[in-house]
Amino acid sequence: MRKIVSQFIKTLNGIAFPQVCSCCSNQLYSDDRYICDLCLLERFEPADTSKDEILPEFVDFLFTMWIFDKGGYLQQLMHKLKYEFLKGVGVELGIQLGRSFRQSGIFKNNSVDEKWMIIPVPLHHKKRRKRGYNQARSLAEGFARNTGYTIAEEGLVIRTRYTTTQTGLSTSERSKNVKQAFMVTEPEKLKGIKTIIIDDVYTTGATTFELARIITEITEEKTGIVTVAKA
Ligand SMILES: [Zn+2]
């Protein structure tokens, strides 16, 4: 009888708080999960970024996990991540991003002793206040859990220019739009540090390249770029 009652309560809870995948709405079977294994491991096409990208000389590597599916599950998920304050989704995606990154072989020896610092692409403070959080920082949290790297403290790298959406702009317009958009507040903290920039979607690279340019001027080390999706 007790078993039946507890099962009944569980069912009621399930109705009140249905645990479903934030991406595809499949039922989840664990309270601390946000995305199902099908979505995390198999649904999306891996991106091979090493092939066709020409990178600025200050960028060491570009790693993107999946190819963007316009109008599909991944686009919806990225939209939710950006606008719906789904920190748990960001962290879970970040963990998967860290896993894929380590498996990619970009770091052949992947020495855990090396000191890498993760720089989430910062939002302008007005935008951050409006949204409530920075989705790149939640990705960075997951990525850090899986790689052991540290995350740059909030406020070390800031966005000084408020930029409207880049959608619809050409590559050169995007570059112009983000020129001098970032600032490092305490440069001495980045001197000689190896960095990885983290963002949700890689489109033309205008934003991340500009951030990489500013950072590498200080670190005097090339930087890597890691994103969840490639548009
Ligand atoms: Zn799913």
Side-chain angles (χ1 to χ4, degrees):
M1 185 64 188
R2 186 180 281 169
K3 205 175 165 191
I4 295 169
V5 170
S6 88
Q7 191 55 46
F8 181 66
I9 290 169
K10 258 191 193 160
T11 310
L12 277 183
N13 272 333
I15 293 166
F17 309 104
Q19 298 288 339
V20 297
C21 173
S22 301
C23 185
C24 71
S25 302
N26 272 347
Q27 194 175 343
L28 293 174
Y29 297 93
S30 173
D31 291 344
D32 59 352
R33 293 288 304 273
Y34 301 89
I35 306 171
C36 74
D37 280 345
L38 183 63
C39 288
L40 275 181
L41 304 173
E42 286 173 57
R43 191 178 296 282
F44 305 116
E45 197 184 331
D48 187 358
T49 30
S50 55
K51 263 201 276 173
D52 46 24
E53 290 295 331
I54 299 161
L55 302 172
E57 72 282 358
F58 47 83
V59 174
D60 196 9
F61 59 81
L62 166 68
F63 175 78
T64 67
M65 184 159 64
W66 296 321
I67 291 173
F68 205 58
D69 57 347
K70 210 164 185 204
Y73 281 122
L74 187 54
Q75 185 177 16
Q76 286 172 35
L77 184 67
M78 291 294 108
H79 189 272
K80 279 187 187 172
L81 177 66
K82 219 171 197 161
Y83 299 106
E84 292 184 20
F85 196 67
L86 296 172
K87 188 163 183 271
V89 170
V91 173
E92 196 156 16
L93 274 174
I95 290 172
Q96 184 60 31
L97 187 59
R99 199 175 289 140
S100 311
F101 174 72
R102 286 195 292 105
Q103 287 166 355
S104 72
I106 283 179
F107 291 148
K108 286 191 185 66
N109 304 318
N110 197 14
S111 164
V112 283
D113 300 329
E114 282 206 56
K115 292 258 181 277
W116 286 80
M117 189 185 274
I118 307 166
I119 316 260
V121 173
L123 288 179
H124 190 269
H125 66 94
K126 273 187 197 160
K127 213 177 254 181
R128 196 193 167 285
R129 207 181 306 136
K130 215 165 101 186
R131 281 197 202 150
Y133 87 130
N134 176 5
Q135 77 280 3
R137 185 159 280 274
S138 64
L139 291 170
E141 276 180 35
F143 192 82
R145 277 192 216 177
N146 207 291
T147 55
Y149 303 150
T150 56
I151 309 174
E153 63 194 81
E154 204 144 14
L156 180 59
V157 184
I158 58 169
R159 199 156 180 146
T160 49
R161 273 182 54 192
Y162 188 87
T163 46
T164 46
T165 177
Q166 303 261 72
T167 315
L169 297 184
S170 70
T171 307
S172 65
E173 283 170 334
R174 280 171 187 246
S175 299
K176 230 170 133 187
N177 201 27
V178 294
K179 201 106 203 124
Q180 304 292 346
F182 301 100
M183 198 183 96
V184 178
T185 55
E186 295 170 89
E188 63 282 0
K189 287 192 176 167
L190 276 184
K191 287 238 160 73
I193 301 276
K194 289 184 175 173
T195 54
I196 294 179
I197 293 169
I198 288 215
D199 206 1
D200 49 2
V201 183
Y202 174 88
T203 310
T204 63
T207 308
T208 39
F209 290 166
E210 176 61 9
L211 179 56
R213 190 182 69 77
I214 301 273
I215 286 169
T216 53
E217 266 178 17
I218 293 163
T219 61
E220 295 178 347
E221 291 272 356
K222 286 183 175 190
T223 185
I225 296 170
V226 172
T227 74
V228 174
K230 179 179 189 280

